[in-house]
Amino acid sequence: MNNPHHLNPTSLKSRFTTRFLRALTKIRAQKPISSSSPTEIFRRYRRIKVAADKSMAYSVRSRRIWSRAMLWKLRSRSYRRQDPCSGRRFGKTNQAIMKKSSNENTTTRREDGVGFVEEADELRQLVPGGETMNLCNLLDETAHYIKCLTTQVQVMKKIADFYSF
Amino acid sequence: MSSRRWRESSRTNMSEEQITQLLSTLRQLLPEIPHSHSHKASSAAKVLKQTCNYIKTLHREVDDLSDRLSQLLATIDADSAEAAIIRSLLT
């Protein structure tokens, strides 16, 4: 049972791998692969990218601000595709929430008196949900987000190498 | 009025020590840069800038790998046996 050489089944890496492989198999089954028109290839690439983010977000679930933000974004994307009218409503609400929180944060940031507001703002754009985070949360969430991204890259690389031969 | 309370509580919640600690955690996650001029005293701004660049690099890698996988998709049929092999390669 305690085999150090086997991947811990409850680890993030393992959960992501299982989900992502399942998603890839599903994507392959959806359309005939023989068609290699540029649009088809691009659609496949988009679907795989979304599957990678989705698999990661679902593996982390709602334990992190960034994963919650990503799940929210993914879900509102799928609603928008089903019903274009409701999507527009969603988008406006989201913008309203973001604007409200970012206004509060603008006040805090100016009060901080530290010399890296610009860099922190740039980071907020890169981390999902970053616009609503204060500085402490931003730094903490970023560390976790980076760990998950490196896991994502590692697994995707292994899968690509595995199927390249 | 409530915004002032928010500001004050945020300031007391975020001590400089806390920020320094979180920044050092981040720095340890970043890839080592061989020709960096500063050794220990990298400013907070620098660490954040390097963090942003690193995240952008990782995003780009995910993009490239998604592209690569889209071309390999015809061969990917991950039944349980193959999934187990892949998982064992990841340890």
Side-chain angles (χ1 to χ4, degrees):
Chain A
M1 211 65 205
N2 290 338
N3 192 335
H5 298 292
H6 280 171
L7 194 65
N8 178 7
T10 57
S11 74
L12 175 71
K13 204 192 283 187
S14 173
R15 295 201 305 272
F16 171 73
T17 309
T18 310
R19 277 198 172 88
F20 186 54
L21 282 173
R22 221 182 289 151
L24 284 178
T25 314
K26 230 189 267 179
I27 295 174
R28 175 180 183 255
Q30 274 173 4
K31 289 260 171 87
I33 300 295
S34 50
S35 65
S36 44
S37 68
T39 355
E40 263 312 308
I41 293 178
F42 181 74
R43 273 206 203 113
R44 242 180 281 155
Y45 149 76
R46 285 296 312 173
R47 251 182 245 140
I48 292 178
K49 188 154 185 302
V50 169
D53 286 341
K54 220 180 200 177
S55 305
M56 186 49 81
Y58 276 103
S59 300
V60 178
R61 283 182 284 261
S62 47
R63 276 181 284 131
R64 283 281 167 175
I65 304 180
W66 74 261
S67 63
R68 290 201 290 273
M70 197 182 265
L71 286 171
W72 201 98
K73 207 194 307 173
L74 289 165
R75 284 181 188 139
S76 61
R77 264 179 98 247
S78 67
Y79 288 152
R80 225 176 288 153
R81 219 178 288 142
Q82 288 169 25
D83 181 2
C85 298
S86 73
R88 249 173 269 134
R89 244 177 283 137
F90 257 113
K92 282 217 177 99
T93 321
N94 186 25
Q95 276 174 36
I97 295 173
M98 293 301 191
K99 263 208 188 109
K100 180 168 174 283
S101 337
S102 68
N103 275 338
E104 293 171 353
N105 269 326
T106 316
T107 337
T108 5
R109 273 186 258 131
R110 276 194 224 116
E111 290 297 311
D112 276 343
V114 287
F116 47 80
V117 169
E118 253 185 61
E119 289 83 356
D121 279 352
E122 198 191 342
L123 187 58
R124 280 194 177 87
Q125 298 295 315
L126 292 170
V127 177
E131 306 93 339
T132 62
M133 294 180 203
N134 64 32
L135 185 60
C136 258
N137 281 338
L138 180 65
L139 297 178
D140 188 42
E141 292 283 314
T142 303
H144 188 263
Y145 182 55
I146 288 182
K147 281 192 210 147
C148 292
L149 278 178
T150 51
T151 302
Q152 191 180 35
V153 166
Q154 189 186 13
V155 173
M156 287 174 82
K157 230 182 242 174
K158 263 280 146 51
I159 295 177
D161 289 342
F162 181 77
Y163 284 104
S164 292
F165 300 109
Chain B
M1 249 184 292
S2 59
S3 65
R4 204 205 305 153
R5 244 181 275 134
W6 165 273
R7 249 182 276 150
E8 286 171 3
S9 68
S10 290
R11 213 187 303 174
T12 49
N13 282 342
M14 293 192 283
S15 66
E16 238 184 86
E17 249 182 67
Q18 239 181 321
I19 298 181
T20 319
Q21 179 123 16
L22 289 167
L23 281 174
S24 86
T25 308
L26 263 186
R27 202 182 300 136
Q28 287 171 26
L29 291 173
L30 301 175
E32 283 192 23
I33 303 164
H35 299 295
S36 62
H37 301 287
S38 50
H39 301 289
K40 293 245 163 134
S42 1
S43 69
K46 242 185 216 157
V47 173
L48 287 181
K49 190 74 187 141
Q50 288 171 7
T51 307
C52 289
N53 290 338
Y54 188 42
I55 292 182
K56 284 189 207 156
T57 309
L58 290 171
H59 282 169
R60 238 177 292 139
E61 275 195 68
V62 171
D63 263 353
D64 291 341
L65 285 165
S66 302
D67 190 41
R68 215 175 127 198
L69 284 171
S70 73
Q71 292 166 18
L72 293 165
L73 200 58
T75 54
I76 296 179
D77 198 357
D79 62 3
S80 53
E82 291 187 354
I85 297 174
I86 292 174
R87 243 178 270 131
S88 70
L89 290 171
L90 280 166
T91 49

